[in-house]
DNA sequence: TTGTAAGCGTTATCAC
DNA sequence: GTGATAACGCTTACAA
């Protein structure tokens, strides 16, 4: 059986609880033999300190909370991978809650975590979350907070995200360098910063190459779905037959484009290059294999967690440092849908 | 600010902590006015009981632990969806740990959860886990345990899984009913029960239709990858040109088969029907759209969690009931790769 | 070198 | 009606 307490050990050995506690923590003021005896018995009884008691005494839970919009999405499950690994290796447990991309639910989850006394919180803010009062409230309560993925600029806390603008810039520059001059861009819904940044990168790359920027080459996919990609590719090709490259803001949409081209007998990449975004594992399984942009997703989770835990430690030592803002670099993966 | 305690309220009101506690819990033996006053102030100060203290007192953590092989896999992230939702709605938080399909790591994670005093544990056992001593140890410690997905038969605890055998039986029967008589089966690696059950379902369906069972029509995919599907389809068609249907144990492999057929100009489903398994979201995005078997994955998570929490409650009341063993039913989704 | 006592926040028990 | 006390398991001044 388990659940051995200090008291149990103390009673068996006929010493006080204090002594047992000290012996186990290598206090110098306990006699060698006593210490040995205690350790031996503790080992034998498989003593493990009760974290519930420690939590209460130390006013910490050794737990961090994570709020993400959803989990059935490759991006977030990979981030979680990094978060959980990093947290575990540093002695923290992770509690996961979903916001379902609803500002209201996000607020409730923050509340729940606060009430549960987690030591710190990691949030990928909901798409529709404009208000950040609940996050400010967290900080007012002196609970370390780190934002990741979707980031709110005017909130004074650490942030970790992908450098979407540069990623898109690099991807489009790659297309241009490979000889494409009429590049269409399929972007995501407007209010989302991620997609706006990718769009901005596209625009800058085009302009940097001294190609006239043509707004009519930018299309919006609302659903970010395979079907959207298929339909939009059709639209692009009929409205702009001169197009020789499509840069889609996510792989699934790019694969829709690819399917359309195959169905229409449009040669990829000879006639039209296709560049995706995310390096989703399925992108390796298309034929031709999709070129895309790789994001260090797991690293994103690790990094955010590492910063958060550092802030938790700093808080305990009253040595608060400046908030960090990290943008992780990406890499263009040229496979077979680009020249 | 937060972190208001009973003591704070008591001091302000000039009553004892006991009275405050009672007032807040609707004890009948506290005067109406006192109760009102306490509640009002508690509300105003936004008092929230400190769960760390409650945990210690009640010897429970209101937390359940989950061990899964990995998270970057559609199946497990969907299960987690169900687990977290159900747990949250019943007042429990969820801690997630990975086994990486390693028996050794799984053992360590179980240990960690035990030390952390979670109230119950949910495990999808690692593929290579043959030994279950660590799980037995949990039960010896009287910590409720529910197994899900991969299940170990000779362990006395509740289990929730998909009825793989019946699912495969139904899928293959569908193929037979649609006129296929030479059905190849692509199964997963041998020691895994899931794949063996699907294989058994395939075999039974064939035999039930009085078709001579031919072991050479069964192929093993070690990697469960798209490429495996592609290569295996090639092998099947060259070794058994008479084959008019392929039943693959997972959608990704089925999509590999489909890609091979397309490349070779084999008409699907006219010449060869293809049936996948899992109803992975991408299966809707192939052309033709993949027929498959839908599994109630999120429900699996919900169900396992519900049973676990019930057992936790029963344990508190010393009213242990029998272990439940649930097999969730599946559904054949006939799309365009079957007749 | 060892032990006593207080405290973390809560609640159940028993006096008053 | 109300409150003092003990207890959950652990740590740490402070005494002895």
């Amino acid at each position: 059986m388990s659940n051995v307490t200090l008291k149990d050990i103390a009673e068996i050995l006929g010493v006080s609880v204090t002594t047992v506690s000290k012996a186990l923590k290598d206090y110098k003021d306990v006699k060698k033999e006593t210490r040995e005896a205690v350790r031996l018995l503790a080992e034998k009884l498989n003593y493990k300190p009760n974290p519930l008691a420690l939590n209460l005494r130390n006013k910490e839970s050794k737990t961090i909370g994570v709020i993400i919009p959803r989990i059935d999405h490759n991006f977030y499950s990979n981030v979680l991978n990094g978060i959980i690994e990093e947290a575990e290796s540093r002695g923290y447990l992770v509690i996961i809650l979903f916001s379902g991309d609803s500002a209201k639910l996000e607020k409730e989850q923050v509340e729940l975590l606060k009430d549960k006394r987690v030591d710190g919180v990691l949030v990928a803010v909901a798409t529709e979350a404009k208000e950040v009062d609940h996050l400010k409230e967290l900080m007012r309560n002196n609970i370390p907070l780190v934002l990741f993925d979707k980031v709110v600029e005017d909130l004074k806390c650490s942030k970790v995200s992908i450098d979407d603008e540069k990623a898109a810039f690099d991807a489009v520059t790659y297309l241009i360098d490979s000889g494409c001059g009429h590049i269409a861009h399929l972007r995501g819904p407007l209010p989302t910063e991620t997609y706006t940044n990718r769009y901005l990168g596209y625009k800058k790359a085009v302009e940097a190459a001294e190609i006239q920027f043509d707004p009519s080459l930018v299309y919006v996919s609302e659903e970010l779905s395979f079907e959207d990609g298929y339909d939009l590719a059709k639209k692009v090709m009929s409205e702009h037959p001169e197009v020789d490259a499509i840069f889609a803001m996510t792989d699934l949409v790019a694969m829709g484009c690819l399917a359309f081209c195959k169905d229409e007998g449009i040669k990829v990449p000879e006639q039209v290059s296709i560049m995706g975004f995310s390096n989703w594992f399925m992108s390796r399984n298309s034929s031709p294999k999709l070129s895309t942009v790789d994001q260090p997703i797991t690293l994103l989770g690790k990094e955010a967690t590492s910063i958060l835990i550092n802030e938790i430690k700093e808080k305990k030592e009253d040595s608060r440092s400046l908030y960090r803002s990290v943008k992780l670099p990406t890499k263009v993966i040229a496979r077979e849908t680009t020249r």
Side-chain angles (χ1 to χ4, degrees), chain A:
Chain A
M1 283 301 135
S2 189
N3 292 358
V4 184
T5 69
L6 290 182
K7 199 172 157 199
D8 296 332
I9 298 182
E11 277 170 3
I12 297 179
L13 255 35
V15 296
S16 76
V17 172
T18 309
T19 306
V20 176
S21 173
K22 284 176 175 168
L24 256 15
K25 309 198 79 196
D26 258 342
Y27 271 53
K28 356 99 231 300
D29 64 351
V30 40
K31 192 167 48 173
K32 206 171 193 170
E33 295 126 51
T34 319
R35 191 177 3 163
E36 304 277 84
V38 169
R39 315 210 108 182
L40 216 71
L41 187 59
E43 178 76 16
K44 198 172 121 202
L45 297 181
N46 192 25
Y47 167 79
K48 294 281 167 56
N50 183 333
L52 273 34
L54 286 183
N55 291 344
L56 178 58
R57 169 153 246 282
N58 303 333
K59 293 168 171 290
E60 63 175 6
S61 60
K62 282 286 180 183
T63 297
I64 63 179
V66 179
I67 301 177
I68 53 177
R70 52 174 41 79
I71 197 177
D72 52 352
H73 187 301
N74 202 257
F75 183 86
Y76 291 114
S77 41
N78 274 305
V79 175
L80 277 185
N81 222 340
I83 292 177
I84 295 180
E85 268 185 21
E86 178 70 16
E88 201 193 334
S89 81
R90 297 183 59 174
Y92 282 78
L93 257 23
V94 176
I95 283 172
I96 295 156
L97 258 21
F98 306 131
S99 68
D101 257 325
S102 134
K104 183 160 161 292
L105 235 187
E106 180 178 299
K107 199 175 149 78
E108 287 175 23
Q109 305 292 37
V110 166
E111 203 67 29
L112 179 58
L113 289 176
K114 185 158 67 90
D115 294 346
K116 281 287 180 176
R117 309 292 208 271
V118 294
D119 295 340
V121 177
L122 244 27
V123 180
V125 294
T127 306
E128 55 151 289
K130 292 244 130 184
E131 279 223 78
V132 289
D133 281 1
H134 54 302
L135 299 178
K136 284 187 180 154
E137 168 72 10
L138 259 190
M139 307 197 60
R140 226 176 297 123
N141 277 274
N142 208 21
I143 298 176
L145 166 71
V146 173
L147 260 33
F148 67 96
D149 181 29
K150 304 208 174 64
V151 142
V152 180
E153 287 307 334
D154 64 328
L155 199 67
K156 286 190 189 56
C157 68
S158 289
K159 296 154 193 170
V160 186
S161 59
I162 298 291
D163 194 340
D164 283 298
E165 187 174 320
K166 178 158 185 311
F169 182 92
D170 291 348
V172 175
T173 299
Y174 181 92
L175 289 171
I176 294 171
D177 289 349
S178 76
C180 301
H182 303 276
I183 306 172
H185 176 43
L186 272 35
R187 60 160 297 162
L190 271 166
T192 311
E193 213 155 346
T194 309
Y195 303 124
T196 299
N197 288 337
R198 290 180 194 171
Y199 158 75
L200 254 26
Y202 158 80
K203 187 154 176 270
K204 282 198 181 161
V206 168
E207 288 169 348
E210 298 187 349
I211 296 174
Q212 174 69 36
F213 170 71
D214 177 358
S216 76
L217 282 172
V218 178
Y219 294 77
V220 178
S221 159
E222 294 293 340
E223 302 297 329
L224 306 178
S225 64
F226 183 88
E227 285 89 349
D228 259 22
Y230 195 97
D231 296 344
L232 251 19
K234 179 185 290 182
K235 207 168 167 205
V236 168
M237 298 316 295
S238 81
E239 292 180 2
H240 289 279
E242 78 280 12
V243 156
D244 55 9
I246 300 179
F247 170 49
M249 73 306 178
T250 194
D251 283 345
L252 187 57
V253 173
M255 292 190 64
C257 296
L258 182 57
F260 173 76
C261 289
K262 280 174 95 168
D263 283 0
E264 293 298 307
I266 298 173
K267 287 217 163 67
V268 178
E270 292 80 0
Q271 289 173 262
V272 174
S273 289
I274 296 179
M275 175 73 80
F277 200 113
S278 297
N279 193 21
W280 177 39
F281 91 105
M282 197 58 195
S283 64
R284 247 169 308 133
N285 292 328
S286 60
S287 81
K289 297 187 175 68
L290 189 68
S291 295
T292 185
V293 178
D294 183 63
Q295 305 169 284
I297 308 183
T298 303
L299 182 64
L300 174 71
K302 267 196 196 317
E303 188 70 20
T305 309
S306 171
I307 293 177
L308 180 68
I309 295 180
N310 287 345
E311 291 191 1
I312 292 172
K313 295 226 175 335
E314 282 164 9
K315 177 187 147 194
K316 282 214 298 197
E317 299 158 359
D318 274 318
S319 69
R320 189 149 215 106
S321 66
L322 292 170
Y323 295 122
R324 314 224 291 131
S325 199
V326 180
K327 290 244 180 214
L328 265 18
T330 56
K331 212 170 64 196
V332 173
I333 308 279
R335 284 199 276 247
E336 301 169 357
T337 59
T338 50
R339 291 181 251 164

